[in-house]
Amino acid sequence: MPDLTPEEFRRLGHRYVDWVADHRAGIDDLPVRDDVVPGSVRSRFGPEASDGAQPLDALLPLVDDVVASADTRWQHPGFHAFFPANASLTSLLGEILSTGLGAQGMLWSTSPACTEVEQAVTDQLARALGLPEAFTHDGGGGGVIQDSASSAALVALLAALHRRSAATGGPAWRETGVTGTERVYVTAETHSSLAKSARVAGLGERGLRTVPFSPGTRTMDPAALADMLRADTADGLTPVLVCPTVGTTGTGAVDPVRDVARVARPHGAWVHVDAAWAGIAALCPEHRHLVDGVGLADSFCTNAHKWMLTAFDASLMWVRDARSLPAALSITPVFLRDKASDSGAVVDYRDWQVPLGRRFRALKLWAVLHGHGLDGLREHVRGHVRMAADLAERVRTHPGLELAAPPSLGLVCLRTTEGDDATRVLLEHVNASGRALLSHTEIDGRYVIRVAFGSLGTTDRHVDELWALLSGS
Amino acid sequence: MPDLTPEEFRRLGHRYVDWVADHRAGIDDLPVRDDVVPGSVRSRFGPEASDGAQPLDALLPLVDDVVASADTRWQHPGFHAFFPANASLTSLLGEILSTGLGAQGMLWSTSPACTEVEQAVTDQLARALGLPEAFTHDGGGGGVIQDSASSAALVALLAALHRRSAATGGPAWRETGVTGTERVYVTAETHSSLAKSARVAGLGERGLRTVPFSPGTRTMDPAALADMLRADTADGLTPVLVCPTVGTTGTGAVDPVRDVARVARPHGAWVHVDAAWAGIAALCPEHRHLVDGVGLADSFCTNAHKWMLTAFDASLMWVRDARSLPAALSITPVFLRDKASDSGAVVDYRDWQVPLGRRFRALKLWAVLHGHGLDGLREHVRGHVRMAADLAERVRTHPGLELAAPPSLGLVCLRTTEGDDATRVLLEHVNASGRALLSHTEIDGRYVIRVAFGSLGTTDRHVDELWALLSGS
């Protein structure tokens, strides 16, 4: 029967591990992004897969040739685009165990270990982040690993739709679907995944309401939110979810979670805090203010796969009521009926997510916590925050550059003083160097360069190199 | 800064690979399922994660102690429950490369390699399965790797909702959401993920219409479907999606895709073929009839992570129109605007799925195709189909047992001749042995044992062992 024998795997596994070790050891000498012609990778594959088997030793030079020369290197220390995606080597050890065990944790009974390690690790992380005890499994809520913050936002919205319809005594969302009156409240800085969630859930774009910023900020104005909620309710609309962001994608802005939640709750709206990027920083006492007010929220999300040394996918989501996601999402066909589930003594994580199947993702989190400890994670965050402060200070004192927004943790938004075209040229100049990769956004209609520190292996030398490119020195 | 050095990873990676090799080498000597008390795994973790780092060598004995004794072993050769979940060691080699590279393929430009290898491999697999050329990227359609068949069904439904609203000229689904008139057509054997998709998309349970079986079968009756579509349309309802299944979860029944599609298409309904488990068998010419009529469908899904030697998650989905998923799902905030995307020359897979981020999952498929070839995959399927035929023949000739449905590929449904209680006792007897794990379903209200062959390493000896347990010999 096919598959490698354990002994073949032992030999090949060592070689593949060595390939990764060599790749990472040499990554700083490669460009952050290769210049790739669309179609050039596909063209290396024939139209048909081979009928015959080929030695797996021979796949490595093929991968070198076809893939490793046509990539954008998210693990490069000069990668400062978008947000980081820390595929640490430590978490890869966890992934090896996860696929090695090959468990499928849709029900508690289909992998008690997969289920309970996820409960234990998310409880530990809730406490490490300073979330209220109510968000732990021990405390009546609980954590779950989603594939992405997009999926976390979607299931939060589904739980909100269910809760809202159950509370109003109107048509039941599980039975008759959405009514067209449901509204979701965001700002212009909220991640596009909230708009996508509203669309997926059948609300359409009209389901999304954009709350203005407080004057002089890029954060949600609680007073404006209060006005909108009152007016919408008076118009017969149904506020279902308000999403404050802790660390927006554009500029790292932090919405006032406590004030937003205080306004939203009396209207029966679910409060989902999207801290996808910045939430991890709350591991550090000096950034603990980032979770201020989260105790008033219904759900909270932050991505271990961004800035917490954990390979994608590992989006951490916590809810204050462990029943809320199953209440919205459970469907039990006869082939999934199970004694342990019926007992109510266990968590079946399939009811906490859209897909049925699930991998043992908690193992890589366990490996990261074990191998680095909370202090290691704090050191990781602090190093990048320090580099961002360093870069921001250099920008402040440079005559041709200016900060486009207040620096936020590891994120610096800057532009030239000469206008959008010059800023665009500067971004292209940096990216063409191969030594750093930056991305862009717009603030008040103006083109802005984003520098997001957070990648593995970034050091002060990389900040110096980047500065030389940005400053023309 | 935290993370292992490449040299530390090299040493530890070898150890972790050895752990997996040893685990797999010894798995047949372990029970398929441990007897676990709810809460016993969680109780091994303290409430707080440690501040300090600990050696990663020490994690392995911990995993042995806490996890490896509290698992349901999906990779055990005696695992015949649900459907198989082939986490092959070959695909683990691909996973090592994937996390090693750490690419994030949300846009073509964020990882051209991740995007184009996925295009190339899904094109090759479309041809290997006998799908029409229209389902390839070369042919104007294309393949995408979803995390699960649940997600494939969901995005098919979203594309259907968009296409339907665009075609009718009524309210645009992207703008105003669902109207409450949309209907999805399934049978009582259709996977529960379709009901979940309808709920997620805001249609509710009333959005799901259950088409009767053809007399004497458990497959969708095209004539009954035609009647329902006509009646619903006359009632002002909107048929949006019909889902024929190739290989249902309960009994492996195969809906008549061609006839169903012929009925559905004139009504403007999207035809999504769910072949999550059985579709892979179409790699074998003798099972090619499984994709008969798929050329009339809009989308097709089969899971490489079930029976095609590929670790979860790798659900293969193809659409006949490459524009259909982006048309429904794309949202482009300024920070994701990109020259290559704007050129239209590339695929941005974020618009083919609900999440934004995505892993380089095509590498494990490439490793499997490379290392085993199509002939290896066919041999895998054929071995299990032969074992199922063998077991079915033994059941047929045993006085105390009977087949509860016609055997389908690797799936055998059986029961005792003494009624449901005896069948339930027999299932518990087999599962308590630790030598095999079976699951159950119901057919016409009667309790039925499912035996799904398809796991790695299952041999004729395992069939003999299972038979001894089932037959009491």
Side-chain angles (χ1 to χ4, degrees):
Chain A
M1 298 291 281
D3 199 15
L4 299 169
T5 66
E7 290 316 307
E8 288 167 336
F9 172 73
R10 194 187 306 272
R11 185 185 68 77
L12 285 162
H14 290 191
R15 282 208 61 191
Y16 277 61
V17 162
D18 290 344
W19 185 93
V20 171
D22 292 342
H23 171 73
R24 292 290 181 98
I27 197 167
D28 202 1
D29 300 326
L30 298 171
V32 187
R33 180 172 70 180
D34 294 319
D35 196 13
V36 185
V37 177
S40 58
V41 178
R42 281 175 71 193
S43 70
R44 304 294 302 277
F45 289 78
E48 312 272 353
S50 168
D51 285 327
Q54 295 160 76
L56 281 157
D57 294 282
L59 184 61
L60 291 175
L62 270 179
V63 169
D64 272 326
D65 190 29
V66 176
V67 166
S69 61
D71 218 355
T72 301
R73 297 188 176 82
W74 286 70
Q75 305 313 316
H76 194 292
F79 185 96
H80 314 298
F82 307 107
F83 278 133
N86 294 168
S88 75
L89 295 171
T90 304
S91 72
L92 175 46
L93 295 178
E95 289 275 45
I96 290 172
L97 298 183
S98 172
T99 303
L101 288 166
Q104 209 277 53
M106 59 184 177
L107 303 175
W108 178 87
S109 67
T110 67
S111 181
C114 173
T115 302
E116 296 202 12
V117 176
E118 187 159 331
Q119 291 181 275
V121 170
T122 53
D123 273 7
Q124 289 185 338
L125 280 165
R127 295 182 183 111
L129 291 164
L131 299 182
E133 190 67 11
F135 283 82
T136 64
H137 290 279
D138 290 337
V144 55
I145 307 174
Q146 306 283 351
D147 62 352
S148 64
S150 303
S151 296
L154 175 59
V155 297
L157 176 54
L158 300 174
L161 287 164
H162 172 69
R163 189 180 76 174
R164 183 71 182 169
S165 81
T168 55
W173 168 80
R174 283 174 58 131
E175 309 297 326
T176 55
V178 296
T179 64
T181 65
E182 299 88 350
R183 293 295 180 270
V184 171
Y185 300 81
V186 300
T187 76
E189 286 250 330
T190 304
H191 194 269
S192 53
S193 57
L194 269 288
K196 197 164 178 176
S197 293
R199 191 187 293 172
V200 169
L203 307 186
E205 272 168 43
R206 75 165 171 193
L208 208 66
R209 302 276 280 134
T210 304
V211 183
F213 297 135
S214 293
T217 75
R218 298 184 70 77
T219 64
M220 189 182 283
D221 182 343
L225 172 66
D227 291 342
M228 288 176 85
L229 289 171
R230 270 193 301 269
D232 285 354
T233 304
D235 286 348
L237 300 175
T238 314
V240 288
L241 184 139
V242 179
C243 179
T245 304
V246 172
T248 60
T249 306
T251 65
V254 177
D255 289 329
V257 173
R258 181 180 298 278
D259 293 339
V260 165
R262 279 190 179 140
V263 168
R265 287 182 64 156
H267 290 269
W270 183 285
V271 179
H272 175 68
V273 179
D274 176 11
W277 162 64
I280 293 303
L283 293 172
C284 306
E286 69 272 27
H287 301 305
R288 187 58 54 81
H289 60 87
L290 292 167
V291 295
D292 179 58
V294 169
L296 298 175
D298 296 287
S299 53
F300 177 86
C301 170
T302 188
N303 288 345
H305 63 239
K306 281 193 162 69
W307 203 10
M308 209 194 88
L309 293 177
T310 309
F312 189 90
D313 45 4
S315 181
L316 304 168
M317 179 193 193
W318 288 271
V319 291
R320 199 150 42 84
D321 179 353
R323 295 162 306 182
S324 56
L325 290 170
L329 293 169
S330 72
I331 294 179
T332 303
V334 62
F335 58 83
L336 295 176
R337 281 294 293 277
D338 179 277
K339 266 189 215 168
S341 304
D342 290 346
S343 77
V346 300
V347 161
D348 290 325
Y349 270 126
R350 73 183 178 96
D351 293 331
W352 293 53
Q353 62 177 21
V354 172
L356 174 57
R358 62 201 323 270
R359 291 187 299 134
F360 199 157
R361 290 182 287 211
L363 277 174
K364 58 187 171 187
L365 285 171
W366 190 13
V368 165
L369 287 170
H370 180 96
H372 299 289
L374 295 172
D375 283 341
L377 303 180
R378 293 176 187 127
E379 178 194 347
H380 184 61
V381 166
R382 284 170 179 151
H384 296 298
V385 171
R386 188 181 46 68
M387 289 177 212
D390 176 7
L391 179 68
E393 189 53 33
R394 299 192 203 198
V395 171
R396 271 192 201 97
T397 57
H398 190 281
L401 297 173
E402 61 189 22
L403 293 174
S408 173
L409 301 168
L411 180 63
V412 181
C413 292
L414 59 93
R415 60 191 168 209
T416 69
T417 53
E418 292 161 52
D420 288 356
D421 287 345
T423 305
R424 203 172 278 116
V425 167
L426 178 60
L427 176 67
E428 283 168 13
H429 166 69
V430 172
N431 289 351
S433 74
R435 296 303 305 152
L437 191 72
L438 312 179
S439 60
H440 67 275
T441 190
E442 275 179 19
I443 301 179
D444 296 330
R446 293 184 61 186
Y447 191 89
V448 168
I449 295 174
R450 293 171 73 263
V451 184
F453 290 100
S455 290
L456 301 171
T458 308
T459 64
D460 290 330
R461 179 175 61 75
H462 296 96
V463 183
D464 290 340
E465 277 193 72
L466 173 62
W467 180 244
L469 290 161
L470 282 171
S471 65
S473 62
Chain B
M1 299 289 281
D3 199 16
L4 299 169
T5 66
E7 291 316 307
E8 288 167 336
F9 173 73
R10 193 187 304 272
R11 184 184 68 75
L12 284 161
H14 290 191
R15 282 208 62 191
Y16 277 60
V17 161
D18 290 345
W19 186 93
V20 172
D22 292 342
H23 171 73
R24 292 292 180 98
I27 197 167
D28 202 2
D29 299 326
L30 299 171
V32 188
R33 182 172 69 181
D34 293 318
D35 197 12
V36 185
V37 177
S40 59
V41 178
R42 280 176 71 192
S43 70
R44 303 294 302 278
F45 288 78
E48 312 272 355
S50 167
D51 285 327
Q54 296 160 76
L56 280 156
D57 294 283
L59 184 62
L60 291 175
L62 270 179
V63 168
D64 272 326
D65 189 29
V66 175
V67 165
S69 61
D71 217 356
T72 300
R73 298 189 175 81
W74 286 70
Q75 306 313 315
H76 194 291
F79 186 95
H80 314 299
F82 307 107
F83 278 133
N86 293 169
S88 76
L89 295 171
T90 304
S91 72
L92 175 46
L93 295 178
E95 290 275 45
I96 290 171
L97 298 182
S98 173
T99 304
L101 288 166
Q104 208 277 52
M106 60 184 177
L107 303 175
W108 178 87
S109 67
T110 67
S111 182
C114 173
T115 302
E116 296 201 12
V117 176
E118 187 159 332
Q119 291 182 277
V121 170
T122 54
D123 273 8
Q124 289 185 339
L125 280 165
R127 294 184 184 110
L129 291 164
L131 299 182
E133 190 67 11
F135 283 81
T136 65
H137 290 279
D138 289 337
V144 55
I145 308 174
Q146 306 283 350
D147 62 352
S148 64
S150 303
S151 297
L154 175 59
V155 297
L157 176 55
L158 301 174
L161 287 164
H162 172 69
R163 189 180 76 174
R164 183 71 182 168
S165 80
T168 57
W173 168 79
R174 284 176 57 131
E175 309 297 327
T176 54
V178 297
T179 63
T181 65
E182 298 88 350
R183 293 296 179 271
V184 171
Y185 299 81
V186 299
T187 75
E189 285 250 329
T190 303
H191 194 270
S192 53
S193 57
L194 269 289
K196 196 164 178 175
S197 294
R199 191 188 292 171
V200 169
L203 307 186
E205 272 169 42
R206 75 166 170 192
L208 208 67
R209 301 278 278 132
T210 303
V211 183
F213 296 135
S214 293
T217 75
R218 298 184 70 76
T219 64
M220 188 180 284
D221 183 343
L225 173 66
D227 291 343
M228 287 176 86
L229 290 171
R230 270 194 302 269
D232 285 354
T233 304
D235 286 348
L237 300 175
T238 314
V240 289
L241 184 138
V242 179
C243 179
T245 304
V246 172
T248 60
T249 306
T251 65
V254 177
D255 289 330
V257 173
R258 181 179 299 278
D259 294 339
V260 166
R262 278 189 179 139
V263 168
R265 286 182 65 157
H267 289 269
W270 183 285
V271 179
H272 175 67
V273 180
D274 176 11
W277 162 64
I280 293 303
L283 293 172
C284 306
E286 69 272 26
H287 301 305
R288 186 58 53 81
H289 59 87
L290 292 167
V291 296
D292 179 59
V294 170
L296 298 174
D298 297 287
S299 52
F300 177 86
C301 170
T302 189
N303 288 344
H305 62 240
K306 281 194 164 69
W307 203 9
M308 210 195 87
L309 292 177
T310 309
F312 189 90
D313 45 3
S315 181
L316 303 168
M317 179 192 195
W318 288 271
V319 291
R320 200 151 41 84
D321 180 354
R323 296 162 305 183
S324 56
L325 290 170
L329 293 170
S330 72
I331 293 179
T332 304
V334 62
F335 59 83
L336 295 177
R337 282 293 295 277
D338 178 276
K339 265 190 216 167
S341 304
D342 290 347
S343 77
V346 300
V347 160
D348 291 324
Y349 270 125
R350 73 182 177 96
D351 293 331
W352 294 54
Q353 62 178 21
V354 171
L356 175 56
R358 63 201 322 270
R359 292 187 299 135
F360 199 157
R361 290 182 287 209
L363 277 173
K364 58 187 172 188
L365 284 171
W366 190 12
V368 165
L369 287 170
H370 180 95
H372 299 289
L374 295 171
D375 283 341
L377 304 180
R378 292 175 187 129
E379 179 194 346
H380 184 61
V381 166
R382 284 170 180 151
H384 296 297
V385 171
R386 188 180 45 69
M387 289 178 212
D390 176 7
L391 179 68
E393 190 53 34
R394 299 192 203 197
V395 170
R396 272 192 200 97
T397 57
H398 190 281
L401 297 173
E402 61 189 23
L403 293 173
S408 175
L409 300 168
L411 179 64
V412 181
C413 291
L414 59 93
R415 60 191 168 209
T416 69
T417 52
E418 292 161 52
D420 288 357
D421 286 346
T423 304
R424 203 173 279 116
V425 166
L426 178 60
L427 176 67
E428 283 167 14
H429 165 69
V430 172
N431 289 351
S433 75
R435 295 303 305 152
L437 191 73
L438 312 179
S439 59
H440 67 275
T441 190
E442 275 179 20
I443 301 180
D444 297 330
R446 293 185 60 186
Y447 191 88
V448 167
I449 295 174
R450 294 171 72 262
V451 184
F453 291 100
S455 290
L456 300 171
T458 308
T459 65
D460 290 328
R461 179 174 59 76
H462 297 95
V463 183
D464 290 340
E465 277 193 71
L466 172 62
W467 180 245
L469 290 161
L470 281 172
S471 65
S473 62

